[in-house]
Amino acid sequence: MREENEALPIKEFYNPRKSNYEEVYRKSMEEPEKFWKEASKVVEWYRDYDVMLDDSNPPFYKWFKGGKLNVSYNALDRHVKMHRRNKAAYIWVAENGEEKIVTYDGLLRRVNNFARSLIDLGMKKGDRIIIYLPMILEAPVAMLACARIGVVFSFVFAGYGAGALADRIKDSGAKLIVTSDGANRNGKVVELKKIVDEALEETSSVGTVIVVKRTGTSVNMEEGRDIWWHDTVKDGQTHVEPEWMDANDPLYLLYSSGTTGKPKGVLHGNGGYSVWVANTLKWAFDPQEDDRWWCAADIGWVTGHSYIVFAPLILGLTSIMFEGAITYPAPDRMWEIIEKYRVNILYTSPTAIRTLMRYGDRYPKMHDLSTLKTLGTVGEPINPAAWKWYYENVGNSKCPIIDTYWQTETGGCMIAPSLGLGLPPLKPGSGTFPMPGVEPVVLDENGKEVPAGQKGYIAYKRPWPGMLMTLNNDPERFKQVYFEKYPGMYFCADYAMKDQDGYYWLLGRSDEVLNVSGHRLGTIEVEDALISSREVAESAVFGKPDSVKGEVIVAFVVLKDEFVNDREVIAKIRKNIRENLGPIYVPEEIHIVKTLPKTRSGKIMRRVVKAVALNQFPGDISTLENTASVEEVKEAIEEFR
Ligand code: 6R9
C-alpha cells in the first residue's frame, strides 16, 4: 500500500546535539517516578505533588496528586518575572493582513482584566462557560482568564452551527458565553452572535453573553443578558491572584469531533495536561528561545488548545496566530505568512498540505521559505505523496517532517519523531516512535499482540499525564469507550502497524472498517492508494453491502485540476490501485465530484458520503462544513444508476 516508501530514501536527520531518545524513553518506562519528577518541572508548582500517579480507581487515574498550580501563572506571570516580559507571546495576523503583537506582559494584563470581569459577573471556581470565538486574541485571553480563576471553559469552534452549540451548552451546563458579533472567513462575515441567539432559544443555563466587537456586524443585544466586551472589560492594571488549582481539578471540556453519534465531552485537568503538552512540544519539535512557532490549526480544536495556547505559552515561545483561511485571498497565503514573519516551525494538517499541493508547486516557490527548520503534521495519516511534496516544496528537502499522532483525548502528541531528543531516520507516512511515557501496543481482536508488519488495533498499556480525566456527565461511557475492549489499557479506535524496525504506522480509524470477500480492508489504505494516483486530489471510500462479496468498495474522488477533462481517468485510477494494492482493493464504483463533505476541521466525513450514497440517514451532520457537497454526492449516485 505505501508503495512510495521504496522510492523515497529514508532520511537521516540525526541530531548529534541530542541523541538520547532511547535513554530517555527507557527511563520513562523503567523509572517513571524519577522521570516524571524531572519532566514535571516544565511547570512551576505552587505545591509539589505527593503521589506521581494514583491508580487506585482505574480508569480514573490521578496524576501528580496533591500538587497545586495555576496554568495561567505558568503561561504568563512566570515569564513576566523572568526575562520574557517584553517578548512577543503572539504575533496575530488578521485575515485582511492587519497585525498585532502582544507581549507576555501585555497578555497578562489582558488576562487579569478579563478575569476581573468574570469575577465581577459572579463566575467562580468550578463554574462552566462556553467560548465561541474566531481566531482573535480574545480567545486565548478568555481561556487563560478562566484558567486563572478556576472556571472550566468549553471552547466551541466558531464554525459550528446553532444546534451543535446548543448541545454543548446543555451538556456543559454553561452559565456564560463569550462570543463576537461576527467572524471573518474567506472575505465573508459569519454572524456568530446570531447563531448564539438561536442556540440560546433552546437552552436555559446561560445568564450572560459577552460580545467582542470584531466585524462591526449589527447584532441584537438582549437587555440584562448581553454585554459588550469593551464595556465590561476595563483596560487598566489589575491583579487577580491565581486560584491555586489541584492537579486534578478540571481545566477545560472539549467536545470531540463528530465522526460518530453524540459528541463526547472530553475533560482535561490542570496538572497532568500542562506537563504533558509542554513536554511533548519540546520533545517533538525542539523549539528554541527565538523561534517563531506557527501552529496553523484553529484554537477551537484540541490542536489549537494544546499547541497554540497552553504548550507554547508555558514554554515562553512566540507564536503566530492567524485569523483567516490558508487559501484566502490566494493559494499562497500560508507561504506569504511564513516569509513575512520568518516562521521557523510550521505545524499543520495533511488536508491543508493536500489542498495546497493541488494548486501546484509554483505557489510555495513564490516565497522565501528559508527560515523554516521543522515541519509538522497532525490530524490524519499523511500519505507519502503529500509527505514528499511537503518535504520537497515547503521544506526544501532540509526540514524534518514531524508527523504527530494523537487525539483530543490524549491531550498531546503520543507517537511522533522526537527532534528534541535525537531524531530517528524518518519514513514518510510513519509517526515513528512513541513519546517518552507512552507504551503503545498493536493488538488483535482478542488482545494478543500482533507480529511486526501486521495490522492491528493500537492501545496504550499505561496511563500518561495528558490523558482525559473522564467524559463529562458520562463516566460509564468513558470506561466503556476507552477501557472495555482491552481491560487495563486505553483503546484508541485506530488501526496501526508496527514494522520490522519498530516504526509505528497509523492506518486510520477502526470504526470504519470494510469487509470485502472476507478480507478486512482499511478505508484509509484505499484512499491512500487513490490519492497516490497522479490524477486524484482527495477521496472518500466506504463499503457498500453486496450479496456476493459482503461489501464492495465505493470511492468518491476529487480530481486534480489538470485531469478533470481526461476521459480515461477512471480506468487509470483503477489500474493504479490494481497495480499497487491488488485487485481486491479496486473499487467497484468510482464517482467523480468537485468537493467532498468535510468537518470544519477538514476531516473528510466518510460516514456522510456513505449514508448519502446508500440513501440512508446521515446521522449528526452538525459538524459538516460544505452542505453543497452532499448534493453532489447524491447527483453522482443518481447519474450512476
Ligand atoms: C489531534 C487530533 C484524532 C484522530 C485519531 C486518528 C487521527 C490524528 C494522526 C492521525 C494518523 C496522525 N489522527 N493524527 N492519524 N496520523 N498523525 O487530530 O485529534 O480531532 O481528536 O482526532 O485523528 O484517527 O484517532 P482528534
Side-chain angles (χ1 to χ4, degrees):
M1 123 189 131
R2 294 179 187 268
E3 76 295 338
E4 287 154 64
N5 277 353
E6 268 81 60
L8 258 188
I10 292 175
K11 268 282 175 184
E12 293 276 356
F13 285 100
Y14 183 68
N15 182 350
R17 277 190 306 122
K18 315 231 172 76
S19 56
N20 52 350
Y21 169 77
E22 270 107 19
E23 198 186 311
V24 175
Y25 183 77
R26 200 176 318 115
K27 190 167 171 194
S28 77
M29 291 293 114
E30 289 167 8
E31 300 175 279
E33 297 275 351
K34 265 197 201 155
F35 177 81
W36 287 113
K37 189 84 236 166
E38 203 46 50
S40 66
K41 291 184 184 144
V42 74
V43 295
E44 193 180 311
W45 293 82
Y46 182 72
R47 183 189 186 279
D48 282 343
Y49 63 85
D50 305 314
V51 183
M52 176 196 80
L53 172 65
D54 171 2
D55 56 2
S56 59
N57 180 26
F60 301 93
Y61 299 101
K62 293 198 166 9
W63 277 88
F64 307 129
K65 199 175 163 189
K68 279 182 181 290
L69 80 169
N70 183 282
V71 176
S72 90
Y73 174 88
N74 274 287
L76 301 166
D77 306 56
R78 200 166 53 120
H79 304 303
V80 169
K81 283 187 196 163
M82 309 188 325
H83 52 280
R84 299 193 182 110
R85 184 176 166 221
N86 293 322
K87 180 173 177 176
Y90 290 112
I91 300 171
W92 176 79
V93 184
E95 187 171 86
N96 69 3
E98 183 200 332
E99 72 184 45
K100 274 186 200 158
I101 296 175
V102 57
T103 62
Y104 273 89
D105 191 50
L107 193 59
L108 174 60
R109 193 185 78 233
R110 287 172 180 238
V111 167
N112 269 321
N113 288 333
F114 189 59
R116 171 69 62 214
S117 302
L118 289 176
I119 293 170
D120 290 348
L121 288 162
M123 295 301 120
K124 52 182 192 317
K125 183 177 172 185
D127 284 345
R128 267 98 184 273
I129 78 163
I130 296 264
I131 305 174
Y132 184 59
L133 284 173
M135 289 285 285
I136 55 178
L137 287 168
E138 284 80 358
V141 168
M143 293 159 89
L144 292 161
C146 289
R148 194 163 193 88
I149 61 173
V151 163
V152 180
F153 67 84
S154 184
F155 204 117
V156 178
F157 172 58
Y160 277 119
L165 178 57
D167 286 346
R168 286 154 179 74
I169 296 170
K170 282 184 214 155
D171 190 77
S172 65
K175 292 182 169 174
L176 181 147
I177 298 187
V178 188
T179 189
S180 64
D181 51 356
N184 295 310
R185 202 169 166 81
N186 288 317
K188 296 192 193 82
V189 170
V190 182
E191 297 184 56
L192 288 192
K193 175 60 170 58
K194 211 167 160 186
I195 298 172
V196 171
D197 290 342
E198 274 173 49
L200 288 182
E201 280 172 23
E202 295 173 44
T203 62
S204 56
S205 59
V206 175
T208 311
V209 181
I210 301 178
V211 188
V212 178
K213 195 172 211 135
R214 169 69 194 125
T215 52
T217 318
S218 79
V219 293
N220 153 56
M221 296 292 279
E222 198 173 303
E223 189 71 37
R225 186 193 72 183
D226 303 349
I227 44 183
W228 289 106
W229 175 293
H230 56 260
D231 288 339
T232 320
V233 185
K234 298 184 188 57
D235 188 20
Q237 276 292 0
T238 178
H239 175 74
V240 174
E241 188 57 18
E243 183 80 43
W244 300 108
M245 306 292 285
D246 280 340
N248 293 286
D249 279 337
L251 173 66
Y252 70 76
L253 180 57
L254 180 59
Y255 291 85
S256 79
S257 43
T259 39
T260 53
K262 179 179 179 274
K264 297 178 279 195
V266 171
L267 197 67
H268 280 297
N270 279 268
Y273 173 80
S274 48
V275 167
W276 186 246
V277 295
N279 275 303
T280 50
L281 174 49
K282 262 178 38 174
W283 293 331
F285 290 98
D286 196 27
Q288 302 300 305
E289 184 71 41
D290 280 334
D291 279 349
R292 290 190 179 166
W293 161 259
W294 184 14
C295 168
D298 192 286
I299 271 190
W301 305 113
V302 73
T303 305
H305 283 53
S306 297
Y307 298 114
I308 299 177
V309 182
F310 295 112
L313 293 177
I314 289 169
L315 296 178
L317 301 178
T318 297
S319 286
I320 309 298
M321 181 176 160
F322 175 49
E323 181 193 38
I326 53 166
T327 48
Y328 181 84
D332 68 333
R333 189 69 200 264
M334 195 161 209
W335 320 129
E336 181 211 312
I337 292 175
I338 290 168
E339 175 173 17
K340 183 161 176 196
Y341 296 101
R342 301 201 227 144
V343 173
N344 305 106
I345 312 175
L346 172 68
Y347 189 24
T348 185
S349 66
T351 297
I353 297 159
R354 288 196 298 266
T355 302
L356 297 171
M357 187 174 147
R358 251 180 88 186
Y359 289 101
D361 309 350
R362 71 188 177 96
Y363 288 101
K365 290 210 165 67
M366 283 159 64
H367 295 278
D368 173 7
L369 306 179
S370 63
T371 51
L372 287 173
K373 295 191 296 190
T374 307
L375 302 172
T377 78
V378 59
E380 51 189 312
I382 179 160
N383 53 304
W387 195 102
K388 190 163 177 269
W389 188 84
Y390 196 28
Y391 177 71
E392 287 172 357
N393 293 282
V394 183
N396 193 22
S397 304
K398 66 182 180 54
C399 305
I401 309 264
I402 309 296
D403 175 358
T404 65
Y405 164 69
W406 57 291
Q407 305 174 301
T408 303
E409 293 88 338
T410 70
C413 304
M414 296 299 276
I415 294 181
S418 291
L419 181 61
L421 303 172
L423 200 69
L426 299 177
K427 299 190 187 190
S430 165
T432 73
F433 300 106
M435 295 270 95
V438 174
E439 194 181 1
V441 62
V442 182
L443 302 171
D444 69 14
E445 196 59 59
N446 305 313
K448 206 167 142 274
E449 197 165 342
V450 304
Q454 276 186 31
K455 178 173 161 180
Y457 301 98
I458 187 163
Y460 302 122
K461 284 168 93 169
R462 60 171 90 196
W464 66 99
M467 70 193 297
L468 74 166
M469 299 201 307
T470 186
L471 291 177
N472 192 48
N473 293 334
D474 215 346
E476 280 311 309
R477 189 174 179 199
F478 169 67
K479 283 200 248 176
Q480 184 251 317
V481 173
Y482 306 108
F483 298 94
E484 218 152 70
K485 188 168 172 92
Y486 302 122
M489 294 184 214
Y490 172 91
F491 172 62
C492 308
D494 280 309
Y495 287 126
M497 187 267 282
K498 189 176 168 176
D499 73 13
Q500 309 288 349
D501 304 322
Y503 282 65
Y504 287 89
W505 298 79
L506 278 306
L507 304 173
R509 298 291 297 194
S510 62
D511 22 26
E512 283 157 342
V513 65
L514 304 175
N515 191 327
V516 180
S517 303
H519 299 270
R520 296 184 69 146
L521 312 175
T523 46
I524 295 288
E525 294 167 281
V526 186
E527 287 175 4
D528 256 3
L530 283 166
I531 48 190
S532 74
S533 312
R534 279 172 62 226
E535 303 83 6
V536 178
E538 282 185 320
S539 75
V541 165
F542 59 85
K544 178 173 140 181
D546 181 273
S547 58
V548 179
K549 297 181 175 172
E551 277 182 312
V552 291
I553 301 173
V554 176
F556 279 77
V557 299
V558 178
L559 296 178
K560 287 184 190 149
D561 288 347
E562 63 265 45
F563 296 103
V564 289
N565 295 321
D566 183 346
R567 284 157 177 266
E568 305 296 313
V569 74
I570 291 187
K572 286 181 190 161
I573 297 170
R574 282 218 157 88
K575 181 164 176 279
N576 186 45
I577 298 193
R578 186 175 298 110
E579 283 175 3
N580 287 318
L581 282 181
I584 189 161
Y585 284 86
V586 177
E588 188 90 355
E589 295 171 26
I590 298 179
H591 303 283
I592 296 170
V593 286
K594 286 198 208 70
T595 58
L596 284 165
K598 285 183 187 168
T599 65
R600 281 150 188 165
S601 61
K603 291 197 172 77
I604 293 171
M605 296 185 85
R606 213 173 283 113
R607 175 177 64 80
V608 173
V609 184
K610 178 175 180 172
V612 172
L614 300 182
N615 210 6
Q616 294 166 345
F617 177 63
D620 174 18
I621 53 163
S622 59
T623 57
L624 184 67
E625 160 101 87
N626 44 349
T627 32
S629 60
V630 171
E631 288 309 312
E632 245 207 301
V633 170
K634 257 188 217 156
E635 276 164 31
I637 281 286
E638 270 152 25
E639 234 177 72
F640 185 79
R641 287 196 191 108

